[in-house]
Amino acid sequence: MNTESGIKLQQDNKSHVPVTELHQKIDAGVKFAIANAIERHRRLGESISILRDGEVVTLTADEIPARDIQNIV
């Protein structure tokens, strides 16, 4: 499980789908959108809840690390 995003990867799938350029663009877009949402919460002083070590943890805006959104993609 990816603890940063809380998304469980489907590793049980035995058929390997080749990663295409479209998949890479979609992945980059999703990461960018998540980073934007987290940064928006931080700037507005809103908390977020994340999955850390199998536990749901709520971070205050002060606990959310600032991100350089330009370097996400």
Side-chain angles (χ1 to χ4, degrees):
M1 181 171 293
N2 182 337
T3 58
E4 194 168 326
S5 65
I7 298 172
K8 184 174 181 179
L9 301 176
Q10 295 181 351
Q11 296 175 344
D12 297 337
N13 188 354
K14 299 296 180 194
S15 63
H16 295 321
V17 178
V19 178
T20 64
E21 185 178 346
L22 178 59
H23 289 113
Q24 292 171 345
K25 287 181 179 181
I26 292 170
D27 189 50
V30 169
K31 287 178 181 179
F32 185 75
I34 291 170
N36 277 334
I38 291 171
E39 180 62 17
R40 182 174 185 271
H41 275 68
R42 187 185 69 78
R43 287 184 181 175
L44 293 175
E46 300 172 343
S47 62
I48 61 170
S49 294
I50 62 169
L51 191 62
R52 180 185 289 160
D53 299 325
E55 301 283 329
V56 176
V57 177
T58 300
L59 302 177
T60 65
D62 293 334
E63 296 171 318
I64 300 171
R67 302 220 182 209
D68 182 5
I69 300 216
Q70 302 301 324
N71 294 327
I72 296 297
V73 178

